[in-house]
Amino acid sequence: MQLKKEIDKIIEKLKIQPIGNGYIDCICPMENAITFIDSMTRLNINITEFTWWCFVDDKHEPCGMGGPKNKYGNGWYSEVCMDKIFQFSSNDEIKRYLLYEWNNSDIYKSCFVPAFWLDIPDE
């Protein structure tokens, strides 16, 4: 239970918005993604995969389907339809992808934000 409390503190501090119950599809503002990955690594939490969501506001139309209102401010998140879920073998691999490969990807859009899937061990 202590581990989940630590995760919840980090989620709140970094303005991450889990979708539904638990720790799947934790929508993370891009500016907080690396800090979140590093925080999960320090807690020995593996991020098993992620999906893309589009941040929508009055200046940007949605790139996908409906989704939740941003509980931390203006706008909302639109679920992006993708052919696959992005899976990596480690948190460091995800971090490298977001830092060095994502901006050059064929599917890159500046409005996209990752929604991380966490593998929480039983306590």
Side-chain angles (χ1 to χ4, degrees):
M1 201 56 148
Q2 183 61 32
L3 180 60
K4 289 184 180 179
K5 286 181 183 179
E6 287 296 315
I7 295 168
D8 290 343
K9 280 190 224 175
I10 293 165
I11 283 174
E12 190 68 27
K13 178 182 176 187
L14 297 178
K15 299 180 176 168
I16 293 167
Q17 190 163 332
I19 301 302
N21 297 324
Y23 299 100
I24 293 178
D25 262 348
C26 298
I27 300 173
C28 180
M30 190 57 87
E31 63 269 16
N32 295 338
I34 301 306
T35 301
F36 182 69
I37 294 167
D38 288 342
S39 297
M40 293 302 101
T41 300
R42 277 192 296 280
L43 292 175
N44 292 316
I45 302 295
N46 291 322
I47 300 169
T48 58
E49 51 209 71
F50 72 88
T51 55
W52 288 115
W53 290 69
C54 166
F55 178 74
V56 182
D57 60 16
D58 54 358
K59 298 173 190 161
H60 177 71
E61 293 291 318
C63 296
M65 304 179 290
K69 181 183 179 318
N70 177 11
K71 73 178 191 175
Y72 298 104
N74 295 328
W76 59 283
Y77 296 100
S78 168
E79 186 173 10
V80 177
C81 296
M82 300 240 121
D83 292 339
K84 65 177 183 169
I85 294 172
F86 290 80
Q87 295 179 310
F88 295 89
S89 62
S90 70
N91 291 0
D92 283 339
E93 232 182 72
I94 294 172
K95 191 170 151 180
R96 271 192 303 278
Y97 176 77
L98 292 177
L99 284 171
Y100 304 114
E101 296 174 35
W102 165 237
N103 290 349
N104 297 315
S105 165
D106 291 343
I107 62 167
Y108 174 80
K109 290 189 179 186
S110 62
C111 61
F112 280 13
V113 296
F116 297 114
W117 298 34
L118 308 181
D119 182 18
I120 310 293
D122 293 331
E123 294 185 271

